[in-house]
Amino acid sequence: MNQDNSPGLIPFTIDLTFEEARRRAEVVAALGPDWDPAAVLRGEDEAHALLYSGLDAGQQRTYDLLVEAGVLSGEGPGRAASH
């Protein structure tokens, strides 16, 4: 007799660790052999610098407040926001 009152249910398990490794491998393969992560990071740094360049005084004050509050990441390496 089935004691758990759930007739017909079959346990299903999947190894998410294996699937995540497979997914990451597929992403890297899709990027191709010409993908240069260092160049991508340099491009992101250039885009960040361009985005926040040429701010007027009010915009700069707002930007500084947001950086101080940890909403924006500011300058320098490892620019992740603190929140």
Coordinates of all heavy atoms in Angstrom, one line a residue:
M1 N 0.8 -1.2 0.0 CA 0.0 0.0 0.0 C 0.9 1.2 0.0 O 1.9 1.3 0.6 CB -0.9 0.0 1.2 CG -2.1 -0.8 1.2 SD -3.4 0.3 1.6 CE -4.7 -0.5 0.8
N2 N 0.4 2.3 -0.6 CA 1.0 3.5 -0.7 C 0.7 4.3 0.6 O -0.5 4.7 0.7 CB 0.7 4.3 -2.0 CG 1.5 5.5 -2.2 OD1 2.2 5.9 -1.3 ND2 1.5 5.9 -3.4
Q3 N 1.6 4.6 1.4 CA 1.3 5.3 2.7 C 1.2 6.8 2.6 O 0.7 7.5 3.5 CB 2.4 4.9 3.7 CG 2.4 3.4 4.0 CD 1.2 3.0 4.7 OE1 0.5 3.7 5.4 NE2 0.8 1.7 4.5
D4 N 1.8 7.4 1.5 CA 1.9 8.9 1.5 C 0.7 9.5 0.8 O 0.6 10.7 0.6 CB 3.2 9.4 0.9 CG 3.3 9.0 -0.6 OD1 2.4 8.3 -1.1 OD2 4.4 9.3 -1.2
N5 N -0.3 8.8 0.4 CA -1.5 9.3 -0.2 C -1.3 10.1 -1.5 O -2.0 11.0 -1.8 CB -2.4 10.1 0.8 CG -2.9 9.3 1.9 OD1 -3.2 8.1 1.7 ND2 -3.0 9.9 3.1
S6 N -0.2 9.8 -2.2 CA 0.1 10.5 -3.5 C 0.3 9.5 -4.6 O 1.4 9.3 -5.0 CB 1.2 11.5 -3.3 OG 2.4 10.8 -2.8
P7 N -0.7 8.8 -5.0 CA -0.6 7.7 -6.0 C -0.1 8.3 -7.3 O -0.5 9.4 -7.7 CB -2.0 7.2 -6.1 CG -2.9 8.2 -5.7 CD -2.1 9.0 -4.7
G8 N 0.8 7.6 -8.0 CA 1.2 7.9 -9.3 C 2.3 8.9 -9.3 O 2.8 9.3 -10.4
L9 N 2.7 9.5 -8.2 CA 3.8 10.5 -8.3 C 5.2 9.7 -8.3 O 5.4 8.8 -7.6 CB 3.8 11.4 -7.0 CG 2.6 12.3 -6.9 CD1 2.7 13.2 -5.7 CD2 2.5 13.2 -8.2
I10 N 6.1 10.2 -9.1 CA 7.4 9.6 -9.3 C 8.4 10.7 -8.9 O 8.3 11.8 -9.4 CB 7.6 9.2 -10.7 CG1 6.6 8.1 -11.1 CG2 9.0 8.6 -10.9 CD1 6.6 7.8 -12.6
P11 N 9.3 10.4 -8.0 CA 10.3 11.4 -7.6 C 11.2 11.8 -8.8 O 11.5 11.0 -9.7 CB 11.2 10.6 -6.6 CG 10.6 9.3 -6.3 CD 9.5 9.1 -7.3
F12 N 11.5 13.0 -8.9 CA 12.3 13.6 -10.0 C 13.4 14.4 -9.4 O 13.2 15.3 -8.6 CB 11.4 14.5 -10.9 CG 12.2 15.1 -12.0 CD1 12.6 14.4 -13.1 CD2 12.6 16.5 -11.9 CE1 13.3 15.0 -14.1 CE2 13.3 17.1 -12.9 CZ 13.7 16.3 -14.0
T13 N 14.6 14.1 -9.7 CA 15.8 14.8 -9.2 C 16.7 15.2 -10.4 O 16.7 14.5 -11.4 CB 16.6 14.0 -8.2 OG1 17.1 12.8 -8.9 CG2 15.8 13.6 -7.0
I14 N 17.4 16.3 -10.3 CA 18.3 16.8 -11.3 C 19.5 17.4 -10.6 O 19.4 18.1 -9.5 CB 17.6 17.8 -12.2 CG1 18.6 18.2 -13.4 CG2 17.2 19.0 -11.5 CD1 17.9 18.9 -14.5
D15 N 20.7 17.1 -11.1 CA 21.9 17.6 -10.5 C 22.1 19.0 -11.1 O 22.6 19.2 -12.2 CB 23.1 16.7 -10.8 CG 24.4 17.2 -10.3 OD1 24.4 18.3 -9.6 OD2 25.4 16.5 -10.4
L16 N 21.8 20.1 -10.3 CA 21.9 21.4 -10.7 C 23.4 21.9 -10.9 O 23.7 22.7 -11.7 CB 21.2 22.4 -9.8 CG 19.6 22.2 -9.8 CD1 19.0 23.1 -8.8 CD2 19.0 22.4 -11.1
T17 N 24.3 21.3 -10.1 CA 25.7 21.6 -10.2 C 26.2 21.2 -11.6 O 26.8 22.0 -12.3 CB 26.5 20.9 -9.2 OG1 26.0 21.2 -7.9 CG2 27.9 21.3 -9.2
F18 N 25.8 20.0 -12.1 CA 26.2 19.6 -13.4 C 25.6 20.5 -14.5 O 26.3 20.9 -15.4 CB 25.9 18.1 -13.6 CG 26.1 17.6 -15.0 CD1 27.3 17.3 -15.4 CD2 25.0 17.5 -15.9 CE1 27.6 16.9 -16.7 CE2 25.2 17.1 -17.2 CZ 26.5 16.8 -17.6
E19 N 24.3 20.8 -14.3 CA 23.6 21.6 -15.3 C 24.2 23.0 -15.4 O 24.3 23.6 -16.5 CB 22.1 21.6 -15.0 CG 21.4 20.3 -15.2 CD 21.6 19.8 -16.7 OE1 21.5 20.6 -17.6 OE2 21.8 18.6 -16.8
E20 N 24.6 23.6 -14.3 CA 25.2 24.9 -14.3 C 26.5 24.9 -15.0 O 26.9 25.8 -15.7 CB 25.3 25.4 -12.9 CG 26.0 26.8 -12.8 CD 25.2 27.9 -13.5 OE1 24.0 27.7 -13.8 OE2 25.8 29.0 -13.6
A21 N 27.3 23.8 -14.7 CA 28.6 23.7 -15.4 C 28.4 23.5 -16.9 O 29.2 24.1 -17.7 CB 29.4 22.5 -14.8
R22 N 27.4 22.8 -17.3 CA 27.2 22.6 -18.7 C 26.7 23.9 -19.3 O 27.1 24.3 -20.4 CB 26.1 21.5 -18.9 CG 25.8 21.2 -20.4 CD 24.5 20.4 -20.5 NE 23.4 21.1 -20.0 CZ 22.7 22.1 -20.6 NH1 23.2 22.5 -21.8 NH2 21.7 22.6 -20.1
R23 N 25.9 24.6 -18.6 CA 25.4 25.9 -19.2 C 26.5 26.9 -19.3 O 26.6 27.6 -20.4 CB 24.3 26.5 -18.2 CG 23.7 27.8 -18.7 CD 22.9 28.5 -17.6 NE 23.8 29.0 -16.6 CZ 24.5 30.2 -16.7 NH1 24.5 30.9 -17.8 NH2 25.3 30.6 -15.7
R24 N 27.4 27.0 -18.4 CA 28.5 27.9 -18.5 C 29.4 27.5 -19.6 O 29.9 28.4 -20.3 CB 29.3 27.9 -17.2 CG 28.6 28.6 -16.1 CD 29.4 28.7 -14.8 NE 28.6 29.3 -13.7 CZ 29.1 29.7 -12.6 NH1 30.4 29.6 -12.4 NH2 28.4 30.3 -11.7
A25 N 29.7 26.2 -19.8 CA 30.5 25.8 -20.9 C 29.9 26.1 -22.2 O 30.6 26.5 -23.2 CB 30.7 24.2 -20.8
E26 N 28.6 26.0 -22.3 CA 27.9 26.4 -23.6 C 28.0 27.9 -23.8 O 28.1 28.3 -25.0 CB 26.4 26.0 -23.5 CG 26.2 24.5 -23.6 CD 26.6 23.8 -24.9 OE1 26.6 24.5 -25.9 OE2 27.0 22.7 -24.9
V27 N 27.9 28.7 -22.8 CA 28.0 30.2 -23.0 C 29.4 30.5 -23.5 O 29.6 31.3 -24.4 CB 27.7 30.9 -21.6 CG1 28.1 32.4 -21.7 CG2 26.2 30.8 -21.3
V28 N 30.4 29.9 -22.9 CA 31.8 30.2 -23.3 C 32.0 29.7 -24.7 O 32.6 30.4 -25.5 CB 32.8 29.6 -22.3 CG1 34.2 29.7 -22.9 CG2 32.7 30.3 -21.0
A29 N 31.5 28.6 -25.1 CA 31.6 28.1 -26.4 C 30.9 29.0 -27.4 O 31.4 29.3 -28.5 CB 31.0 26.7 -26.5
A30 N 29.7 29.6 -27.0 CA 29.0 30.5 -27.9 C 29.7 31.8 -28.1 O 29.6 32.4 -29.1 CB 27.6 30.7 -27.3
L31 N 30.5 32.2 -27.1 CA 31.3 33.4 -27.2 C 32.3 33.3 -28.3 O 32.7 34.3 -28.9 CB 31.9 33.8 -25.9 CG 30.9 34.3 -24.8 CD1 31.6 34.4 -23.5 CD2 30.2 35.6 -25.2
G32 N 32.8 32.1 -28.5 CA 33.8 31.9 -29.6 C 35.2 32.1 -29.1 O 35.5 32.7 -28.1
P33 N 36.2 31.7 -30.0 CA 37.6 31.8 -29.6 C 38.1 33.2 -29.6 O 39.2 33.5 -29.1 CB 38.3 30.9 -30.7 CG 37.4 31.0 -31.8 CD 36.0 31.1 -31.3
D34 N 37.4 34.2 -30.3 CA 37.9 35.5 -30.4 C 37.5 36.4 -29.2 O 37.9 37.6 -29.1 CB 37.4 36.2 -31.7 CG 38.0 35.4 -32.9 OD1 39.1 34.9 -32.8 OD2 37.3 35.3 -33.9
W35 N 36.7 35.9 -28.3 CA 36.2 36.7 -27.1 C 37.4 37.0 -26.2 O 38.2 36.1 -25.8 CB 35.2 35.9 -26.4 CG 34.6 36.6 -25.2 CD1 33.9 37.8 -25.3 CD2 34.7 36.3 -23.8 NE1 33.6 38.2 -24.0 CE2 34.0 37.3 -23.1 CE3 35.2 35.2 -23.2 CZ2 33.9 37.2 -21.7 CZ3 35.1 35.2 -21.8 CH2 34.5 36.2 -21.1
D36 N 37.6 38.3 -25.9 CA 38.7 38.7 -25.0 C 38.1 39.4 -23.8 O 37.6 40.6 -23.9 CB 39.5 39.7 -25.8 CG 40.7 40.2 -25.0 OD1 40.9 39.8 -23.9 OD2 41.5 41.0 -25.6
P37 N 38.0 38.7 -22.7 CA 37.4 39.3 -21.5 C 38.1 40.6 -21.0 O 37.4 41.5 -20.5 CB 37.4 38.2 -20.4 CG 38.3 37.1 -21.0 CD 38.5 37.3 -22.4
A38 N 39.4 40.6 -21.1 CA 40.1 41.9 -20.7 C 39.6 43.0 -21.6 O 39.4 44.2 -21.1 CB 41.6 41.6 -20.8
A39 N 39.5 42.8 -22.9 CA 39.0 43.9 -23.8 C 37.6 44.3 -23.5 O 37.3 45.5 -23.5 CB 39.1 43.4 -25.2
V40 N 36.8 43.4 -23.1 CA 35.4 43.7 -22.7 C 35.4 44.5 -21.5 O 34.7 45.5 -21.4 CB 34.6 42.4 -22.5 CG1 33.2 42.7 -21.8 CG2 34.4 41.6 -23.8
L41 N 36.2 44.2 -20.5 CA 36.3 45.0 -19.3 C 36.8 46.4 -19.5 O 36.3 47.4 -19.0 CB 37.1 44.3 -18.2 CG 36.5 43.1 -17.6 CD1 37.5 42.4 -16.6 CD2 35.2 43.4 -16.9
R42 N 37.8 46.5 -20.4 CA 38.3 47.8 -20.8 C 37.2 48.7 -21.5 O 37.0 49.9 -21.2 CB 39.5 47.7 -21.7 CG 40.8 47.3 -21.0 CD 42.0 47.5 -21.9 NE 41.9 46.7 -23.1 CZ 42.3 45.4 -23.2 NH1 42.8 44.8 -22.1 NH2 42.2 44.8 -24.3
G43 N 36.4 48.0 -22.3 CA 35.3 48.7 -23.0 C 34.3 49.2 -22.0 O 33.7 50.3 -22.2
E44 N 34.0 48.3 -21.0 CA 33.0 48.7 -20.0 C 33.6 49.9 -19.2 O 32.8 50.8 -18.8 CB 32.7 47.6 -19.1 CG 31.9 46.5 -19.7 CD 31.5 45.4 -18.8 OE1 31.9 45.4 -17.6 OE2 30.9 44.4 -19.3
D45 N 34.8 49.9 -18.9 CA 35.4 51.1 -18.2 C 35.3 52.3 -19.0 O 35.0 53.4 -18.5 CB 36.9 50.8 -17.8 CG 37.0 49.8 -16.7 OD1 36.0 49.5 -15.9 OD2 38.1 49.2 -16.5
E46 N 35.6 52.2 -20.3 CA 35.5 53.4 -21.2 C 34.1 53.9 -21.3 O 33.9 55.1 -21.2 CB 36.1 53.0 -22.6 CG 37.6 52.8 -22.6 CD 38.0 52.1 -23.9 OE1 37.2 52.0 -24.8 OE2 39.2 51.8 -24.0
A47 N 33.1 53.0 -21.3 CA 31.7 53.4 -21.4 C 31.3 54.1 -20.1 O 30.6 55.1 -20.1 CB 30.9 52.2 -21.7
H48 N 31.8 53.5 -19.0 CA 31.4 54.1 -17.7 C 32.0 55.5 -17.6 O 31.3 56.5 -17.2 CB 32.0 53.3 -16.6 CG 31.6 53.7 -15.2 ND1 32.4 54.6 -14.5 CD2 30.5 53.5 -14.4 CE1 31.8 54.9 -13.3 NE2 30.7 54.2 -13.2
A49 N 33.2 55.7 -18.0 CA 33.9 57.0 -18.0 C 33.1 58.0 -18.9 O 32.9 59.2 -18.5 CB 35.3 56.9 -18.4
L50 N 32.7 57.6 -20.0 CA 32.0 58.4 -21.0 C 30.6 58.8 -20.5 O 30.2 59.9 -20.6 CB 31.9 57.7 -22.3 CG 31.2 58.5 -23.5 CD1 32.0 59.8 -23.7 CD2 31.2 57.7 -24.7
L51 N 30.0 57.8 -19.9 CA 28.6 58.1 -19.4 C 28.6 59.2 -18.3 O 27.7 60.0 -18.3 CB 28.0 56.8 -18.8 CG 26.6 56.8 -18.2 CD1 25.6 57.2 -19.2 CD2 26.3 55.5 -17.5
Y52 N 29.6 59.2 -17.4 CA 29.6 60.1 -16.3 C 30.5 61.3 -16.6 O 30.8 62.0 -15.6 CB 29.9 59.4 -15.0 CG 28.8 58.5 -14.6 CD1 29.0 57.1 -14.7 CD2 27.5 58.9 -14.3 CE1 27.9 56.2 -14.4 CE2 26.5 58.1 -13.9 CZ 26.7 56.7 -14.0 OH 25.7 55.8 -13.7
S53 N 30.9 61.5 -17.8 CA 31.8 62.7 -18.1 C 30.9 63.8 -18.5 O 29.8 63.7 -19.0 CB 32.8 62.3 -19.2 OG 32.0 62.1 -20.4
G54 N 31.4 65.1 -18.3 CA 30.7 66.2 -18.8 C 29.4 66.6 -18.0 O 28.5 67.2 -18.5
L55 N 29.4 66.1 -16.8 CA 28.2 66.5 -15.9 C 28.3 67.9 -15.5 O 29.3 68.4 -15.2 CB 28.2 65.6 -14.7 CG 28.1 64.1 -14.9 CD1 28.1 63.4 -13.5 CD2 26.9 63.7 -15.7
D56 N 27.1 68.6 -15.5 CA 27.1 69.9 -14.9 C 27.2 69.9 -13.4 O 27.2 68.8 -12.8 CB 25.9 70.7 -15.4 CG 24.5 70.2 -14.9 OD1 24.5 69.6 -13.8 OD2 23.5 70.4 -15.6
A57 N 27.3 71.0 -12.8 CA 27.5 71.0 -11.3 C 26.4 70.3 -10.5 O 26.7 69.5 -9.6 CB 27.6 72.5 -10.8
G58 N 25.1 70.5 -10.9 CA 24.0 69.8 -10.2 C 24.0 68.3 -10.5 O 23.8 67.5 -9.5
Q59 N 24.3 67.9 -11.7 CA 24.4 66.5 -12.0 C 25.6 65.8 -11.2 O 25.5 64.7 -10.7 CB 24.6 66.3 -13.5 CG 23.4 66.6 -14.3 CD 23.7 66.6 -15.8 OE1 24.8 67.0 -16.2 NE2 22.7 66.3 -16.6
Q60 N 26.7 66.6 -11.1 CA 27.9 66.0 -10.4 C 27.6 65.9 -8.9 O 28.0 64.9 -8.3 CB 29.1 66.9 -10.6 CG 30.4 66.4 -10.0 CD 30.8 65.1 -10.7 OE1 30.9 65.1 -11.9 NE2 31.1 64.1 -10.0
R61 N 26.9 66.8 -8.3 CA 26.5 66.7 -6.9 C 25.6 65.5 -6.7 O 25.8 64.7 -5.8 CB 25.7 68.0 -6.4 CG 26.7 69.1 -6.1 CD 25.9 70.2 -5.4 NE 24.8 70.7 -6.1 CZ 24.9 71.7 -7.1 NH1 26.0 72.2 -7.4 NH2 23.8 72.1 -7.7
T62 N 24.6 65.3 -7.6 CA 23.7 64.1 -7.5 C 24.5 62.9 -7.7 O 24.3 61.9 -6.9 CB 22.6 64.2 -8.6 OG1 21.9 65.4 -8.4 CG2 21.7 63.0 -8.5
Y63 N 25.4 62.8 -8.6 CA 26.3 61.6 -8.9 C 27.1 61.3 -7.6 O 27.1 60.2 -7.1 CB 27.2 61.9 -10.0 CG 28.2 60.8 -10.3 CD1 27.9 59.6 -10.9 CD2 29.5 61.0 -9.8 CE1 28.8 58.6 -11.0 CE2 30.5 60.0 -10.0 CZ 30.1 58.8 -10.6 OH 31.0 57.8 -10.8
D64 N 27.7 62.4 -7.0 CA 28.5 62.2 -5.8 C 27.7 61.7 -4.7 O 28.1 60.8 -3.9 CB 29.2 63.5 -5.4 CG 30.3 63.9 -6.4 OD1 30.8 63.1 -7.2 OD2 30.6 65.1 -6.5
L65 N 26.5 62.2 -4.5 CA 25.6 61.7 -3.4 C 25.2 60.2 -3.7 O 25.2 59.5 -2.7 CB 24.3 62.5 -3.4 CG 24.4 63.9 -2.8 CD1 23.1 64.7 -3.0 CD2 24.7 63.9 -1.3
L66 N 24.9 59.9 -4.9 CA 24.6 58.5 -5.2 C 25.8 57.5 -5.0 O 25.6 56.4 -4.5 CB 24.0 58.3 -6.6 CG 22.7 59.0 -6.8 CD1 22.3 59.0 -8.3 CD2 21.6 58.4 -6.0
V67 N 27.0 58.0 -5.3 CA 28.2 57.2 -5.0 C 28.4 57.0 -3.5 O 28.6 55.9 -3.0 CB 29.4 57.8 -5.7 CG1 30.7 57.1 -5.2 CG2 29.3 57.7 -7.2
E68 N 28.3 58.1 -2.8 CA 28.4 58.1 -1.3 C 27.4 57.2 -0.7 O 27.7 56.5 0.3 CB 28.3 59.5 -0.8 CG 28.6 59.7 0.7 CD 28.5 61.1 1.2 OE1 28.9 62.0 0.4 OE2 28.0 61.3 2.3
A69 N 26.2 57.2 -1.2 CA 25.1 56.3 -0.6 C 25.3 54.9 -1.0 O 24.6 54.0 -0.5 CB 23.8 56.8 -1.0
G70 N 26.2 54.6 -2.0 CA 26.4 53.2 -2.4 C 25.5 52.8 -3.5 O 25.4 51.6 -3.9
V71 N 24.7 53.7 -4.1 CA 23.8 53.4 -5.2 C 24.5 53.2 -6.5 O 24.2 52.3 -7.2 CB 22.7 54.5 -5.3 CG1 21.8 54.2 -6.5 CG2 21.9 54.6 -4.0
L72 N 25.4 54.1 -6.7 CA 26.3 54.0 -7.9 C 27.7 53.6 -7.4 O 28.1 53.8 -6.3 CB 26.4 55.3 -8.7 CG 25.1 55.8 -9.4 CD1 25.3 57.1 -10.0 CD2 24.6 54.7 -10.4
S73 N 28.5 53.1 -8.4 CA 29.7 52.5 -8.0 C 30.9 53.4 -7.9 O 32.0 53.0 -7.4 CB 30.1 51.3 -9.0 OG 30.1 51.8 -10.3
G74 N 30.9 54.6 -8.5 CA 32.0 55.5 -8.5 C 33.1 55.1 -9.4 O 32.9 54.3 -10.4
E75 N 34.3 55.5 -9.1 CA 35.5 55.2 -10.0 C 36.4 54.2 -9.4 O 36.2 53.8 -8.3 CB 36.3 56.5 -10.1 CG 35.5 57.7 -10.8 CD 35.1 57.4 -12.2 OE1 35.9 56.7 -12.9 OE2 34.0 57.8 -12.6
G76 N 37.3 53.7 -10.2 CA 38.4 52.8 -9.7 C 38.0 51.4 -10.0 O 36.9 51.0 -10.4
P77 N 39.0 50.5 -9.8 CA 38.8 49.1 -10.0 C 37.8 48.5 -9.0 O 37.7 49.0 -7.9 CB 40.2 48.5 -9.8 CG 40.9 49.4 -9.0 CD 40.3 50.8 -9.3
G78 N 37.1 47.5 -9.5 CA 36.1 46.9 -8.6 C 35.0 47.8 -8.2 O 34.6 48.0 -7.1
R79 N 34.4 48.5 -9.2 CA 33.5 49.5 -9.0 C 32.1 49.1 -8.6 O 31.1 49.8 -8.8 CB 33.3 50.4 -10.2 CG 34.5 51.2 -10.6 CD 34.2 52.2 -11.7 NE 33.3 51.6 -12.7 CZ 33.7 51.2 -13.9 NH1 35.0 51.3 -14.3 NH2 32.9 50.7 -14.8
A80 N 31.9 47.9 -8.1 CA 30.6 47.5 -7.7 C 30.0 48.3 -6.6 O 30.6 48.8 -5.7 CB 30.7 46.0 -7.2
A81 N 28.7 48.6 -6.8 CA 28.0 49.4 -5.7 C 28.0 48.7 -4.4 O 28.0 47.4 -4.4 CB 26.6 49.8 -6.2
S82 N 27.9 49.4 -3.3 CA 28.0 48.7 -2.0 C 26.6 48.1 -1.6 O 26.6 47.4 -0.6 CB 28.5 49.7 -1.0 OG 27.5 50.8 -0.8
H83 N 25.5 48.4 -2.3 CA 24.3 47.8 -1.9 C 23.7 46.9 -3.0 O 23.8 47.1 -4.1 CB 23.2 48.9 -1.6 CG 23.6 49.8 -0.5 ND1 23.9 49.3 0.8 CD2 23.8 51.1 -0.4 CE1 24.2 50.3 1.6 NE2 24.2 51.4 0.9

